[in-house]
């Protein structure tokens, strides 16, 4: 099913369909202005904030990118979603923001999904924004149809106030510890039989009914766990509060690259020596490196479908990057995109990302559907943007809180790569480690 919506009733900033060239204004206090932007954007029915948390990961063109308001949007279910998106983009060429849900796999690999879904995000949603704000440390550039200066002044006049926190509530797990361990052992039997080599198995944590302030939760989450692909995304009554460290796919000119994460170890910020030992253990772990190289091979295969012959290469293998809670093993794979290939086909031929599936991709997605108890939806999908030059950047939706304000349902999922050599209890504990930052925010 596909639905195209016209402009939503909202701001008075829109004047016509042609977006002006961006106008820039000086910013005196970057952190203060970023907080003011969040206060200013609250009334909009749809918005998308992309925030690299000053990591300068591969030198992005901005520190924050905020799309607010909606001229027109596309909402589509798996089936003909990518062709609908191609038509939608060709009609509106310019800034677009939105998401790819994990269950677009049902279109790319002709699969199905029947697990429980408490959130209700569409399989695909993209919108043409009324306003785009590109924030850097010293200035902000505003793209809009109307008066950019009035928007700048409205943000500057926003009040910085402490956002109201939510009440304490209990978080439940969808899969009990014993069931999780038994499922990992069943997956390992599939690996032993040759059905697959590696499978990303996830579990859901949830709460209902709860009332949260998504902006306050985002601010707290990114304080505790600042990550380079963070996002705050609102589609009417649904929110994604994301502190992702992982890039799915980026296109810059004729170059395209992906940076999958596989391999995790705990930080120890109280003991520098132990922290360095944990980092070295990750770097030297045969298990972690074998998981990482499997997904690297999968991404190389995916990129070969969309890149010129002999251009796909591994720029960095087993890179160790440190984040507030964990050390991560990240590899970078790149290539030169084929001449004339539409950007939507680049996504379609590589989605879902290999770091969240396993190998071989189709078979593990069938097994994921069999053994997981919750529909992934937006989790392990992707949020990002396309600019007027048809360049794009999309994250991997992990380390994220999903919230439906109407049903008051809150959900987050964590997981890890299961191989034949995985220890089921260690995998369970790794899931809990990844959930720590989110639980600190919520409890």
């Amino acid at each position: 099913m596909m639905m195209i919506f016209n402009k939503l009733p909202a701001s008075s900033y829109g004047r016509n369909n042609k977006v002006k060239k961006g106008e820039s204004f000086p910013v005196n206090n970057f952190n203060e202005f970023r907080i003011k932007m969040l206060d200013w954007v609250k009334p909009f029915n749809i918005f998308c904030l992309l925030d690299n948390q000053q990591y300068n990961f591969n030198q992005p063109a901005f520190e924050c990118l905020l799309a607010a308001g909606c001229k027109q949007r596309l909402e589509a279910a798996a089936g003909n979603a990518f062709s609908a998106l191609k038509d939608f983009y060709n009609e509106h060429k310019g800034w677009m923001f939105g998401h790819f849900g994990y269950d677009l796999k049902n279109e790319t690999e002709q699969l199905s999904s029947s697990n429980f879904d408490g959130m209700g995000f569409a399989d695909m949603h993209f919108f043409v924004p009324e306003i785009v704000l590109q924030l850097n440390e010293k200035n902000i550039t505003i793209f809009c149809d109307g008066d950019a200066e009035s928007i700048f002044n409205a943000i500057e006049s926003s009040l910085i106030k402490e956002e109201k926190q939510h009440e304490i509530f209990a978080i439940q797990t969808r899969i009990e510890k014993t069931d999780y361990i038994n499922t990992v052992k069943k997956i390992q039997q599939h690996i032993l039989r040759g059905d697959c080599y590696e499978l990303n198995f996830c579990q859901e944590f949830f709460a209902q009914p709860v009332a949260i302030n998504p902006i306050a939760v985002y601010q707290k989450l990114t304080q505790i766990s600042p990550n380079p692909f963070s996002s705050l995304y609102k589609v009417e009554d649904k929110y994604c509060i994301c502190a992702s460290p992982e890039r799915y796919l980026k296109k810059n000119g004729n170059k395209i690259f992906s940076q999958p994460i596989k391999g995790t170890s705990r930080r120890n910020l109280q003991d520098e020596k132990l922290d360095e030992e944990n980092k070295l253990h990750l770097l030297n772990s045969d298990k972690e490196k074998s998981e990482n190289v499997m997904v690297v091979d999968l991404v190389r295969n995916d990129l070969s479908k969309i890149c010129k012959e002999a251009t796909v290469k591994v720029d960095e293998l087993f890179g160790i990057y440190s984040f507030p809670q964990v050390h991560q093993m990240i590899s970078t794979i790149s290539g030169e995109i084929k001449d004339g290939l539409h950007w939507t086909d680049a996504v379609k031929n590589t989605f879902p990302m290999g770091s969240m599936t396993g190998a071989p991709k189709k078979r593990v997605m069938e097994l994921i559907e069999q053994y997981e108890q919750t529909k992934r939806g937006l989790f392990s999908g992707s949020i990002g943007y396309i600019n007027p030059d048809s360049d794009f950047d999309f994250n991997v939706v992990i380390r994220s809180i999903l919230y439906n304000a109407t049903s008051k349902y809150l959900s987050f999922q964590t997981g890890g790569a299961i191989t034949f050599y995985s220890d089921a209890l260690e995998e369970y504990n790794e899931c809990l480690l990844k959930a720590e930052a989110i639980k600190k925010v919520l409890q």
Side-chain angles (χ1 to χ4, degrees):
M1 182 175 65
M2 177 188 72
M3 292 181 285
I4 296 178
F5 302 82
N6 290 321
K7 178 178 172 181
L8 299 176
S11 81
S12 60
Y13 297 116
R15 297 288 188 273
N16 52 57
N17 289 327
K18 187 176 181 180
V19 176
K20 290 182 179 179
K21 182 179 179 182
E23 296 182 51
S24 295
F25 304 88
V27 170
N28 296 321
N29 187 317
F30 170 80
N31 288 322
E32 182 179 284
F33 196 87
R34 176 164 52 182
I35 295 171
K36 288 182 175 182
M37 283 168 53
L38 288 174
D39 181 72
W40 170 82
V41 82
K42 280 191 293 187
F44 287 88
N45 292 324
I46 294 176
F47 65 77
C48 181
L49 170 72
L50 305 173
D51 189 352
N52 73 37
Q53 294 290 314
Q54 297 176 281
Y55 272 89
N56 294 317
F57 217 57
N58 299 113
Q59 298 181 330
F62 57 86
E63 293 291 345
C64 291
L65 197 61
L66 175 60
C70 177
K71 294 179 182 179
Q72 197 169 45
R73 63 189 178 111
L74 169 72
E75 192 173 275
N80 296 300
F82 282 102
S83 61
L85 180 61
K86 182 184 293 186
D87 293 341
F88 187 70
Y89 181 79
N90 290 341
E91 179 184 354
H92 295 284
K93 288 182 180 178
W95 289 103
M96 279 176 40
F97 292 72
H99 78 262
F100 299 104
Y102 171 78
D103 288 294
L104 286 171
K105 67 178 176 59
N106 299 338
E107 178 174 333
T108 60
E109 293 290 354
Q110 290 76 54
L111 301 173
S112 62
S113 298
S114 57
N115 286 333
F116 169 75
D117 176 18
M119 289 308 307
F121 275 102
D123 290 339
M124 177 189 287
H125 175 265
F126 277 86
F127 69 100
V128 179
E130 292 182 327
I131 304 161
V132 176
L133 309 176
Q134 185 172 290
L135 178 64
N136 291 306
E137 288 199 3
K138 300 296 184 183
N139 63 77
I140 182 169
T141 303
I142 301 176
F143 303 85
C144 69
D145 301 350
D147 185 356
E149 186 173 3
S150 69
I151 297 171
F152 175 76
N153 291 335
I155 297 171
E156 276 280 48
S157 63
S158 295
L159 298 175
I160 295 182
K161 54 186 179 295
E162 186 174 352
E163 294 282 354
K164 183 180 178 182
Q165 296 294 313
H166 54 269
E167 300 295 328
I168 300 299
F169 52 84
I171 296 173
Q172 303 177 65
T173 182
R174 188 70 62 184
I175 304 177
E176 296 299 327
K177 181 178 179 179
T178 302
D179 293 335
Y180 180 93
I181 290 172
N182 289 336
T183 300
V184 169
K185 292 178 180 178
K186 291 177 182 177
I187 292 169
Q188 288 174 316
Q189 288 302 307
H190 285 283
I191 295 171
L192 184 63
R193 291 197 296 267
D195 293 340
C196 58
Y197 310 105
E198 175 184 348
L199 184 148
N200 189 278
F201 177 54
C202 299
Q203 60 172 315
E204 182 194 22
F205 300 84
F206 69 99
Q208 187 184 39
V210 297
I212 66 168
N213 180 334
I215 288 178
V217 172
Y218 176 77
Q219 290 175 329
K220 190 173 181 183
L221 178 62
T222 51
Q223 286 170 3
I224 292 174
S225 185
N227 281 303
F229 299 101
S230 298
S231 177
L232 178 61
Y233 179 51
K234 177 186 179 184
V235 183
E236 296 177 328
D237 61 344
K238 292 174 280 293
Y239 294 84
C240 178
I241 304 161
C242 175
S244 174
E246 184 171 0
R247 169 180 277 133
Y248 156 48
L249 202 63
K250 176 180 173 71
K251 175 182 173 290
N252 187 10
N254 71 339
K255 186 174 182 180
I256 196 160
F257 61 96
S258 181
Q259 295 178 293
I261 292 178
K262 270 290 168 281
T264 304
S265 68
R266 183 186 294 269
R267 295 297 308 269
N268 192 323
L269 300 180
Q270 286 72 44
D271 189 320
E272 188 175 332
K273 182 180 178 182
L274 284 176
D275 191 54
E276 186 65 22
E277 287 176 359
N278 288 346
K279 187 175 180 179
L280 290 174
H281 174 75
L282 176 60
L283 178 62
N284 296 317
S285 169
D286 290 336
K287 171 188 174 293
E288 303 287 7
K289 287 193 289 188
S290 68
E291 291 180 10
N292 193 283
V293 80
M294 281 185 194
V295 75
V296 166
D297 284 343
L298 191 154
V299 172
R300 287 173 62 197
N301 181 66
D302 283 347
L303 291 188
S304 69
K305 301 173 188 175
I306 62 172
C307 290
K308 295 177 182 177
E309 188 174 349
T311 65
V312 176
K313 63 182 188 298
V314 179
D315 299 280
E316 182 181 31
L317 187 64
F318 308 146
I320 305 298
Y321 292 79
S322 298
F323 300 98
Q325 275 76 40
V326 293
H327 301 291
Q328 302 271 205
M329 184 178 286
I330 305 177
S331 294
T332 301
I333 307 97
S334 69
E336 291 181 24
I337 199 164
K338 291 177 181 177
D339 295 335
L341 185 79
H342 199 277
W343 73 267
T344 58
D345 292 321
V347 176
K348 182 178 180 180
N349 282 284
T350 58
F351 193 85
M353 61 290 300
S355 62
M356 296 306 297
T357 57
K361 189 182 281 190
K362 182 175 182 179
R363 181 58 179 139
V364 295
M365 288 193 291
E366 292 172 342
L367 294 172
I368 286 168
E369 184 70 24
Q370 178 180 339
Y371 288 114
E372 291 183 359
Q373 296 185 17
T374 306
K375 188 175 180 179
R376 290 191 180 182
L378 183 50
F379 171 73
S380 74
S382 183
I383 294 171
Y385 73 94
I386 310 94
N387 70 17
D389 296 322
S390 297
D391 288 336
F392 61 76
D393 202 359
F394 290 100
N395 72 0
V396 178
V397 179
I398 53 176
R399 319 288 164 83
S400 300
I401 300 165
L402 304 178
Y403 178 61
N404 187 312
T406 299
S407 64
K408 299 189 182 303
Y409 187 86
L410 180 145
S411 170
F412 63 95
Q413 298 191 45
T414 65
I418 309 302
T419 69
F420 179 74
Y421 298 102
S422 295
D423 181 283
L425 180 58
E426 287 183 6
E427 294 294 340
Y428 181 80
N429 289 333
E430 183 177 315
C431 284
L432 298 185
L433 170 62
K434 291 174 179 176
E436 275 183 12
I438 294 177
K439 286 189 173 182
K440 284 180 182 177
V441 171
L442 296 175
Q443 297 184 324

mmCIF file of all heavy atoms in Angstrom, residues 32-57:
data_model
loop_
_atom_site.group_PDB
_atom_site.id
_atom_site.type_symbol
_atom_site.label_atom_id
_atom_site.label_comp_id
_atom_site.label_asym_id
_atom_site.label_seq_id
_atom_site.Cartn_x
_atom_site.Cartn_y
_atom_site.Cartn_z
ATOM 1 N N GLU A 32 24.148 25.822 23.038
ATOM 2 C CA GLU A 32 22.926 26.513 23.431
ATOM 3 C C GLU A 32 21.950 26.595 22.262
ATOM 4 O O GLU A 32 20.748 26.371 22.425
ATOM 5 C CB GLU A 32 23.283 27.911 23.927
ATOM 6 C CG GLU A 32 22.109 28.728 24.417
ATOM 7 C CD GLU A 32 22.541 30.098 24.906
ATOM 8 O OE1 GLU A 32 23.090 30.163 26.018
ATOM 9 O OE2 GLU A 32 22.337 31.091 24.164
ATOM 10 N N PHE A 33 22.452 26.868 21.084
ATOM 11 C CA PHE A 33 21.586 26.992 19.911
ATOM 12 C C PHE A 33 20.974 25.644 19.551
ATOM 13 O O PHE A 33 19.803 25.576 19.147
ATOM 14 C CB PHE A 33 22.384 27.548 18.727
ATOM 15 C CG PHE A 33 21.520 28.065 17.617
ATOM 16 C CD1 PHE A 33 21.067 29.378 17.630
ATOM 17 C CD2 PHE A 33 21.136 27.245 16.564
ATOM 18 C CE1 PHE A 33 20.248 29.862 16.616
ATOM 19 C CE2 PHE A 33 20.323 27.723 15.545
ATOM 20 C CZ PHE A 33 19.882 29.034 15.572
ATOM 21 N N ARG A 34 21.739 24.559 19.700
ATOM 22 C CA ARG A 34 21.195 23.226 19.408
ATOM 23 C C ARG A 34 20.010 22.914 20.324
ATOM 24 O O ARG A 34 19.004 22.342 19.887
ATOM 25 C CB ARG A 34 22.294 22.171 19.571
ATOM 26 C CG ARG A 34 21.805 20.755 19.375
ATOM 27 C CD ARG A 34 22.913 19.766 19.148
ATOM 28 N NE ARG A 34 23.952 19.814 20.150
ATOM 29 C CZ ARG A 34 25.051 19.047 20.132
ATOM 30 N NH1 ARG A 34 25.221 18.202 19.135
ATOM 31 N NH2 ARG A 34 25.960 19.136 21.055
ATOM 32 N N ILE A 35 20.116 23.276 21.591
ATOM 33 C CA ILE A 35 19.006 23.056 22.524
ATOM 34 C C ILE A 35 17.802 23.913 22.140
ATOM 35 O O ILE A 35 16.651 23.456 22.188
ATOM 36 C CB ILE A 35 19.454 23.361 23.965
ATOM 37 C CG1 ILE A 35 20.538 22.361 24.397
ATOM 38 C CG2 ILE A 35 18.270 23.285 24.934
ATOM 39 C CD1 ILE A 35 21.203 22.701 25.706
ATOM 40 N N LYS A 36 18.052 25.151 21.731
ATOM 41 C CA LYS A 36 16.962 26.026 21.300
ATOM 42 C C LYS A 36 16.249 25.469 20.066
ATOM 43 O O LYS A 36 15.027 25.611 19.922
ATOM 44 C CB LYS A 36 17.503 27.425 21.015
ATOM 45 C CG LYS A 36 17.887 28.214 22.258
ATOM 46 C CD LYS A 36 18.359 29.616 21.887
ATOM 47 C CE LYS A 36 18.633 30.451 23.115
ATOM 48 N NZ LYS A 36 19.052 31.838 22.776
ATOM 49 N N MET A 37 17.006 24.844 19.160
ATOM 50 C CA MET A 37 16.391 24.230 17.984
ATOM 51 C C MET A 37 15.373 23.165 18.382
ATOM 52 O O MET A 37 14.304 23.054 17.774
ATOM 53 C CB MET A 37 17.475 23.618 17.086
ATOM 54 C CG MET A 37 18.240 24.622 16.249
ATOM 55 S SD MET A 37 19.730 23.929 15.452
ATOM 56 C CE MET A 37 19.065 22.497 14.619
ATOM 57 N N LEU A 38 15.695 22.380 19.409
ATOM 58 C CA LEU A 38 14.778 21.336 19.859
ATOM 59 C C LEU A 38 13.511 21.932 20.453
ATOM 60 O O LEU A 38 12.413 21.383 20.285
ATOM 61 C CB LEU A 38 15.474 20.436 20.884
ATOM 62 C CG LEU A 38 16.549 19.499 20.326
ATOM 63 C CD1 LEU A 38 17.259 18.776 21.456
ATOM 64 C CD2 LEU A 38 15.934 18.496 19.366
ATOM 65 N N ASP A 39 13.644 23.052 21.162
ATOM 66 C CA ASP A 39 12.460 23.716 21.704
ATOM 67 C C ASP A 39 11.606 24.281 20.573
ATOM 68 O O ASP A 39 10.370 24.171 20.575
ATOM 69 C CB ASP A 39 12.888 24.838 22.656
ATOM 70 C CG ASP A 39 11.685 25.557 23.260
ATOM 71 O OD1 ASP A 39 11.018 24.960 24.121
ATOM 72 O OD2 ASP A 39 11.402 26.698 22.842
ATOM 73 N N TRP A 40 12.263 24.877 19.577
ATOM 74 C CA TRP A 40 11.550 25.488 18.448
ATOM 75 C C TRP A 40 10.792 24.467 17.613
ATOM 76 O O TRP A 40 9.689 24.725 17.122
ATOM 77 C CB TRP A 40 12.569 26.239 17.583
ATOM 78 C CG TRP A 40 12.035 26.705 16.266
ATOM 79 C CD1 TRP A 40 11.297 27.827 16.025
ATOM 80 C CD2 TRP A 40 12.193 26.049 14.999
ATOM 81 N NE1 TRP A 40 10.987 27.914 14.675
ATOM 82 C CE2 TRP A 40 11.526 26.836 14.026
ATOM 83 C CE3 TRP A 40 12.845 24.889 14.587
ATOM 84 C CZ2 TRP A 40 11.486 26.490 12.673
ATOM 85 C CZ3 TRP A 40 12.808 24.533 13.256
ATOM 86 C CH2 TRP A 40 12.127 25.329 12.306
ATOM 87 N N VAL A 41 11.355 23.254 17.434
ATOM 88 C CA VAL A 41 10.780 22.284 16.505
ATOM 89 C C VAL A 41 9.624 21.488 17.114
ATOM 90 O O VAL A 41 8.895 20.812 16.395
ATOM 91 C CB VAL A 41 11.883 21.328 15.991
ATOM 92 C CG1 VAL A 41 12.173 20.197 16.991
ATOM 93 C CG2 VAL A 41 11.513 20.746 14.628
ATOM 94 N N LYS A 42 9.415 21.584 18.422
ATOM 95 C CA LYS A 42 8.403 20.757 19.096
ATOM 96 C C LYS A 42 7.006 20.821 18.477
ATOM 97 O O LYS A 42 6.327 19.794 18.387
ATOM 98 C CB LYS A 42 8.330 21.128 20.584
ATOM 99 C CG LYS A 42 9.414 20.521 21.431
ATOM 100 C CD LYS A 42 9.152 20.690 22.918
ATOM 101 C CE LYS A 42 9.216 22.132 23.346
ATOM 102 N NZ LYS A 42 9.135 22.282 24.824
ATOM 103 N N PRO A 43 6.508 21.981 18.030
ATOM 104 C CA PRO A 43 5.118 22.020 17.523
ATOM 105 C C PRO A 43 4.899 21.317 16.188
ATOM 106 O O PRO A 43 3.750 21.074 15.810
ATOM 107 C CB PRO A 43 4.849 23.530 17.374
ATOM 108 C CG PRO A 43 5.882 24.205 18.204
ATOM 109 C CD PRO A 43 7.083 23.326 18.148
ATOM 110 N N PHE A 44 5.965 20.990 15.456
ATOM 111 C CA PHE A 44 5.793 20.401 14.129
ATOM 112 C C PHE A 44 5.319 18.948 14.230
ATOM 113 O O PHE A 44 5.771 18.181 15.086
ATOM 114 C CB PHE A 44 7.109 20.462 13.352
ATOM 115 C CG PHE A 44 7.475 21.845 12.882
ATOM 116 C CD1 PHE A 44 8.201 22.688 13.694
ATOM 117 C CD2 PHE A 44 7.074 22.302 11.633
ATOM 118 C CE1 PHE A 44 8.547 23.966 13.277
ATOM 119 C CE2 PHE A 44 7.412 23.575 11.200
ATOM 120 C CZ PHE A 44 8.152 24.416 12.026
ATOM 121 N N ASN A 45 4.426 18.556 13.323
ATOM 122 C CA ASN A 45 3.927 17.173 13.295
ATOM 123 C C ASN A 45 4.985 16.193 12.808
ATOM 124 O O ASN A 45 4.959 15.009 13.169
ATOM 125 C CB ASN A 45 2.706 17.081 12.366
ATOM 126 C CG ASN A 45 1.504 17.817 12.902
ATOM 127 O OD1 ASN A 45 1.276 17.833 14.099
ATOM 128 N ND2 ASN A 45 0.749 18.448 12.019
ATOM 129 N N ILE A 46 5.865 16.663 11.955
ATOM 130 C CA ILE A 46 6.924 15.811 11.408
ATOM 131 C C ILE A 46 8.234 16.590 11.464
ATOM 132 O O ILE A 46 8.288 17.745 11.037
ATOM 133 C CB ILE A 46 6.626 15.405 9.949
ATOM 134 C CG1 ILE A 46 5.387 14.504 9.880
ATOM 135 C CG2 ILE A 46 7.819 14.691 9.321
ATOM 136 C CD1 ILE A 46 4.979 14.131 8.465
ATOM 137 N N PHE A 47 9.255 15.964 12.004
ATOM 138 C CA PHE A 47 10.586 16.547 11.928
ATOM 139 C C PHE A 47 11.634 15.447 12.044
ATOM 140 O O PHE A 47 11.355 14.333 12.499
ATOM 141 C CB PHE A 47 10.815 17.646 12.976
ATOM 142 C CG PHE A 47 10.800 17.192 14.417
ATOM 143 C CD1 PHE A 47 11.887 16.528 14.989
ATOM 144 C CD2 PHE A 47 9.707 17.471 15.224
ATOM 145 C CE1 PHE A 47 11.878 16.148 16.323
ATOM 146 C CE2 PHE A 47 9.684 17.094 16.564
ATOM 147 C CZ PHE A 47 10.780 16.430 17.117
ATOM 148 N N CYS A 48 12.845 15.772 11.617
ATOM 149 C CA CYS A 48 13.950 14.819 11.679
ATOM 150 C C CYS A 48 15.233 15.576 12.007
ATOM 151 O O CYS A 48 15.675 16.424 11.225
ATOM 152 C CB CYS A 48 14.093 14.076 10.351
ATOM 153 S SG CYS A 48 15.424 12.845 10.336
ATOM 154 N N LEU A 49 15.816 15.287 13.155
ATOM 155 C CA LEU A 49 17.105 15.840 13.560
ATOM 156 C C LEU A 49 18.171 14.766 13.380
ATOM 157 O O LEU A 49 18.035 13.651 13.888
ATOM 158 C CB LEU A 49 17.066 16.271 15.023
ATOM 159 C CG LEU A 49 18.422 16.657 15.635
ATOM 160 C CD1 LEU A 49 18.914 17.984 15.079
ATOM 161 C CD2 LEU A 49 18.346 16.715 17.167
ATOM 162 N N LEU A 50 19.229 15.115 12.654
ATOM 163 C CA LEU A 50 20.393 14.241 12.500
ATOM 164 C C LEU A 50 21.567 14.955 13.152
ATOM 165 O O LEU A 50 21.893 16.091 12.793
ATOM 166 C CB LEU A 50 20.674 13.975 11.019
ATOM 167 C CG LEU A 50 19.494 13.393 10.222
ATOM 168 C CD1 LEU A 50 19.841 13.341 8.745
ATOM 169 C CD2 LEU A 50 19.122 12.011 10.736
ATOM 170 N N ASP A 51 22.211 14.299 14.103
ATOM 171 C CA ASP A 51 23.184 14.965 14.973
ATOM 172 C C ASP A 51 24.423 14.100 15.106
ATOM 173 O O ASP A 51 24.353 12.979 15.625
ATOM 174 C CB ASP A 51 22.533 15.190 16.339
ATOM 175 C CG ASP A 51 23.370 16.061 17.267
ATOM 176 O OD1 ASP A 51 24.521 16.370 16.921
ATOM 177 O OD2 ASP A 51 22.851 16.432 18.334
ATOM 178 N N ASN A 52 25.584 14.591 14.640
ATOM 179 C CA ASN A 52 26.796 13.760 14.724
ATOM 180 C C ASN A 52 27.547 13.933 16.033
ATOM 181 O O ASN A 52 28.635 13.356 16.202
ATOM 182 C CB ASN A 52 27.713 13.990 13.513
ATOM 183 C CG ASN A 52 28.424 15.325 13.533
ATOM 184 O OD1 ASN A 52 28.833 15.830 14.572
ATOM 185 N ND2 ASN A 52 28.593 15.924 12.363
ATOM 186 N N GLN A 53 26.965 14.706 16.973
ATOM 187 C CA GLN A 53 27.527 14.843 18.309
ATOM 188 C C GLN A 53 29.011 15.253 18.298
ATOM 189 O O GLN A 53 29.787 14.875 19.157
ATOM 190 C CB GLN A 53 27.344 13.539 19.093
ATOM 191 C CG GLN A 53 25.899 13.183 19.385
ATOM 192 C CD GLN A 53 25.262 14.111 20.399
ATOM 193 O OE1 GLN A 53 25.855 14.420 21.434
ATOM 194 N NE2 GLN A 53 24.050 14.560 20.094
ATOM 195 N N GLN A 54 29.393 16.027 17.284
ATOM 196 C CA GLN A 54 30.738 16.602 17.157
ATOM 197 C C GLN A 54 31.840 15.537 17.060
ATOM 198 O O GLN A 54 32.977 15.771 17.449
ATOM 199 C CB GLN A 54 31.010 17.566 18.311
ATOM 200 C CG GLN A 54 30.054 18.762 18.310
ATOM 201 C CD GLN A 54 30.227 19.679 19.480
ATOM 202 O OE1 GLN A 54 29.757 19.394 20.583
ATOM 203 N NE2 GLN A 54 30.908 20.790 19.263
ATOM 204 N N TYR A 55 31.485 14.386 16.478
ATOM 205 C CA TYR A 55 32.499 13.354 16.246
ATOM 206 C C TYR A 55 33.310 13.616 14.986
ATOM 207 O O TYR A 55 34.389 13.067 14.819
ATOM 208 C CB TYR A 55 31.831 11.972 16.118
ATOM 209 C CG TYR A 55 31.644 11.257 17.431
ATOM 210 C CD1 TYR A 55 30.497 11.443 18.178
ATOM 211 C CD2 TYR A 55 32.614 10.374 17.919
ATOM 212 C CE1 TYR A 55 30.314 10.785 19.388
ATOM 213 C CE2 TYR A 55 32.434 9.704 19.115
ATOM 214 C CZ TYR A 55 31.291 9.912 19.847
ATOM 215 O OH TYR A 55 31.110 9.257 21.036
ATOM 216 N N ASN A 56 32.750 14.398 14.052
ATOM 217 C CA ASN A 56 33.394 14.629 12.753
ATOM 218 C C ASN A 56 33.730 13.309 12.060
ATOM 219 O O ASN A 56 34.818 13.116 11.514
ATOM 220 C CB ASN A 56 34.663 15.470 12.919
ATOM 221 C CG ASN A 56 34.349 16.867 13.389
ATOM 222 O OD1 ASN A 56 33.410 17.488 12.895
ATOM 223 N ND2 ASN A 56 35.098 17.359 14.357
ATOM 224 N N PHE A 57 32.783 12.382 12.101
ATOM 225 C CA PHE A 57 32.986 11.059 11.534
ATOM 226 C C PHE A 57 32.991 11.180 10.009
ATOM 227 O O PHE A 57 31.963 11.450 9.406
ATOM 228 C CB PHE A 57 31.849 10.142 12.000
ATOM 229 C CG PHE A 57 32.266 8.730 12.273
ATOM 230 C CD1 PHE A 57 33.261 8.450 13.192
ATOM 231 C CD2 PHE A 57 31.659 7.672 11.629
ATOM 232 C CE1 PHE A 57 33.628 7.149 13.481
ATOM 233 C CE2 PHE A 57 32.023 6.369 11.889
ATOM 234 C CZ PHE A 57 33.015 6.106 12.820
#
